């Protein structure tokens, strides 16, 4: 039976940051490439992606970070999680909760604040895909960090 490397708060935090960044910037890249935002008009996909991400309200960014982090900690406290599939599912659930619960006036550039319709099909698919990939990035980042901790000398 394989044993998993020990839990470290440092690895959890670093992976959470990478997962959060993925949840913000991957959907922004997709929104810019699909021209779902009027900010995606410069013709430079990288610039447009950062413009779209910058327009996303701080409330949406923080809500995802808090929900995702809280769900990860809650699942870990119950003895679950730490697997690619479960972390990806937590990312999708967190994104859906933000899309469903964030008031329109706090949703500038995100969800209902992007095109004026809550759960419009194409943007919802983009955001949920971003949440899934975010959870996967979190899972892989944490696992790699924990493995490095086993092979690197203690300081």
């Amino acid at each position: 039976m394989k044993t998993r490397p020990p839990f470290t708060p440092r690895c959890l935090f670093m992976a959470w940051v990478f997962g959060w960044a993925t949840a913000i910037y991957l959907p922004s890249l997709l929104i810019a490439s699909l021209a779902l935002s009027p900010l995606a008009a410069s013709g430079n996909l990288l610039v447009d992606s950062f413009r779209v991400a910058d327009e996303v309200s701080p409330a949406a960014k923080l809500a995802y970070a808090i929900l995702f982090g809280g769900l990860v900690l809650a699942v870990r406290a119950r003895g679950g999680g730490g697997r690619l599939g479960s972390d990806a599912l937590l990312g999708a659930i967190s994104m859906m909760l933000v899309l469903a619960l964030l008031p329109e006036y706090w949703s500038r550039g995100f969800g209902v604040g992007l095109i004026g319709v809550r759960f419009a099909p194409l943007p919802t698919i983009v955001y949920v895909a971003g949440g899934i990939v975010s959870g996967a990035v979190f899972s892989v980042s944490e696992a790699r960090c924990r493995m490095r901790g086993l092979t690197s000398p203690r300081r």
Side-chain angles (χ1 to χ4, degrees), residues 141-155:
S141 298
E142 184 187 29
R144 290 188 69 183
C145 177
R146 289 166 71 176
M147 289 305 294
R148 276 193 306 271
L150 284 181
T151 59
S152 65
R154 294 277 175 196
R155 295 181 189 183

Side-chain angles (χ1 to χ4, degrees), residues 38-105:
L39 297 172
S42 77
N44 182 329
L45 185 58
L46 186 61
V47 170
D48 290 346
S49 298
F50 278 97
R51 283 185 181 157
V52 171
D54 191 44
E55 182 65 17
V56 174
S57 74
K61 292 174 182 175
L62 288 172
Y64 180 81
I66 291 166
L67 281 170
F68 181 66
L71 285 175
V72 165
L73 291 175
V75 168
R76 297 281 172 89
R78 294 188 51 98
R83 303 270 190 250
L84 183 71
S86 63
D87 290 339
L89 180 61
L90 292 176
I93 291 168
S94 300
M95 189 62 77
M96 289 296 290
L97 287 171
V98 174
L99 289 168
L101 301 175
L102 195 67
E104 184 173 358
Y105 53 88

Side-chain angles (χ1 to χ4, degrees), residues 7-20 138 142 145:
F7 166 80
T8 65
R10 180 181 67 87
C11 288
L12 182 78
F13 178 75
M14 287 176 39
W16 176 68
V17 170
F18 288 137
W20 171 84
F138 167 81
E142 184 187 29
C145 177

Side-chain angles (χ1 to χ4, degrees), residues 123-146:
T124 300
I125 291 168
V126 166
Y127 288 122
V128 173
I132 290 168
V133 175
S134 166
V137 165
F138 167 81
S139 188
V140 170
S141 298
E142 184 187 29
R144 290 188 69 183
C145 177
R146 289 166 71 176

